Amino acid sequence: MRVTSEKLAGYERDGFIVINDFVDIASCDRLRARAAELVRDFDPSGIVSIFSAHEQSRLSDDYFLTSGDKIRFFFEENAFLPDGSLNHRKEQSINKIGHALHDLDPVFSEFSRTPEIVQLVADLGIQRPLLLQGMYIFKQPRIGGEVTCHQDSTFLYTEPTDIAGLWFALEDATIENSCLWVIPGGHKLGLKSRWLRSTGGEMKFEVFDSSPWPEDRLVPLEVRKGSLIILNGLLPHKSLANRSTKSRQAYTLHVIGGDCRYPETNWLQRSPDLPLRGFS
Ligand SMILES: O=C(O)CCC(=O)C(=O)O
């Protein structure tokens, strides 16, 4: 499957592309089953203590900031009772798994390197692609948290900006179960901020433009299972909290151009043992 020139023109104009039925249903179900297996085998006891410990914020920040080359599990904010214990079953408490699923898990690695994805990324014009981040998002029923409006390049910054987020719907995504919302053309607003490690070691935002997002321009992208949404790294997007009884699972893969500068001040870093890889 090639991306049509019409769709590429839409990507340039709007900053996103929707391709229905990019993934067959069996492959969606294989990824869902694999994610369920990973969660089944995950022992949350140590991690729950990180989230409920006295130094909660520092420890959970470290757990996140060192996850760029690991498979780690992150909880929904509303998954905990005031005493720090889980309020729901483990399977219904995980917000996402990240951030090197695409390299460390054989099922996700194979999926992330299918010929269709290789072709798609070539069609997008990303040269010497590197697969930077692979993440599984559960958007749990009732407690799935809001993702506020942002640009992926704020967090995965490259010079020049050359990043695409591939968002695969593994279930139907509707307004009811909190589909993605995007600001068409918003990638032309420029990068509003960058999240980077300061010389003191802590993360902070460098703000280039503090004006609010024009959220009145947001449009919902309701898509069916198997659809792919491609997001330009500068496109503002968000998803609301999921208060419905249905989950809205998705797999996301972020691809960058291999010739870009990828600063050491970005949060997501790899150890020398697991350098970034492309499609081979
Ligand atoms: O899937 C979602 O709800 C939001 C994902 C997202 O915005 C992201 O990963 O950058």
Side-chain angles (χ1 to χ4, degrees):
M1 186 193 304
R2 304 274 321 220
V3 185
T4 61
S5 50
E6 207 180 6
K7 287 227 184 272
L8 286 175
Y11 192 52
E12 169 60 31
R13 183 187 62 238
D14 301 327
F16 68 95
I17 302 178
V18 176
I19 304 180
N20 294 319
D21 306 318
F22 185 86
V23 184
D24 59 74
I25 297 300
S27 301
C28 291
D29 290 343
R30 197 169 314 120
L31 293 190
R32 289 180 56 189
R34 182 62 188 145
E37 250 173 37
L38 290 170
V39 171
R40 184 198 63 202
D41 295 344
F42 161 61
D43 173 6
S45 48
I47 305 312
V48 169
S49 73
I50 282 184
F51 283 85
S52 52
H54 205 52
E55 283 190 283
Q56 191 258 353
S57 133
R58 189 184 62 76
L59 291 170
S60 59
D61 286 355
D62 284 353
Y63 182 75
F64 177 87
L65 291 171
T66 54
S67 67
D69 50 9
K70 301 188 180 62
I71 295 178
R72 284 193 170 162
F73 300 78
F74 299 89
F75 290 96
E76 293 286 1
E77 237 178 75
N78 290 333
F80 296 96
L81 291 166
D83 69 358
S85 59
L86 282 179
N87 192 16
H88 304 267
R89 289 188 312 120
K90 170 180 74 169
E91 290 73 13
Q92 278 159 9
S93 304
I94 308 286
N95 167 289
K96 64 182 175 186
I97 309 175
H99 288 92
L101 261 183
H102 60 294
D103 281 339
L104 296 177
D105 182 80
V107 175
F108 282 92
S109 174
E110 190 190 337
F111 173 83
S112 305
R113 294 178 169 85
T114 50
E116 291 78 12
I117 296 179
V118 176
Q119 182 65 59
L120 174 97
V121 168
D123 288 350
L124 293 178
I126 299 181
Q127 305 288 319
R128 299 204 318 107
L130 293 173
L131 309 190
L132 178 62
Q133 175 178 269
M135 192 161 77
Y136 194 96
I137 300 171
F138 289 90
K139 208 72 173 180
Q140 298 285 1
R142 296 190 184 86
I143 59 166
E146 176 181 4
V147 177
T148 56
C149 198
H150 67 282
Q151 297 165 303
D152 289 340
S153 291
T154 291
F155 302 98
L156 304 173
Y157 177 80
T158 64
E159 284 174 2
T161 304
D162 190 15
I163 172 162
L166 311 183
W167 190 98
F168 301 93
L170 304 180
E171 296 184 293
D172 292 347
T174 63
I175 290 177
E176 187 199 0
N177 68 351
S178 298
C179 62
L180 284 184
W181 291 68
V182 300
I183 300 179
H187 60 308
K188 298 195 173 153
L189 294 170
L191 184 64
K192 263 193 191 294
S193 66
R194 210 190 130 188
W195 197 49
L196 78 175
R197 202 177 301 272
S198 66
T199 40
E202 75 283 4
M203 299 302 299
K204 63 170 183 67
F205 284 96
E206 184 179 4
V207 177
F208 309 118
D209 170 3
S210 60
S211 63
W213 294 111
E215 296 215 15
D216 53 329
R217 287 170 47 194
L218 281 161
V219 298
L221 298 184
E222 293 192 287
V223 293
R224 60 177 179 263
K225 178 174 177 177
S227 302
L228 164 63
I229 300 175
I230 308 166
L231 300 170
N232 180 301
L234 290 174
L235 187 78
H237 61 283
K238 69 180 283 180
S239 65
L240 296 165
N242 184 10
R243 297 290 173 249
S244 80
T245 54
K246 297 178 196 145
S247 60
R248 194 236 55 206
Q249 300 188 17
Y251 174 59
T252 70
L253 182 65
H254 283 83
V255 183
I256 60 172
D259 296 323
C260 298
R261 192 174 85 82
Y262 185 81
E264 287 179 0
T265 45
N266 278 357
W267 79 267
L268 192 162
Q269 298 295 334
R270 289 293 186 98
S271 88
D273 305 335
L274 192 73
L276 287 179
R277 278 173 58 206
F279 288 117
S280 50

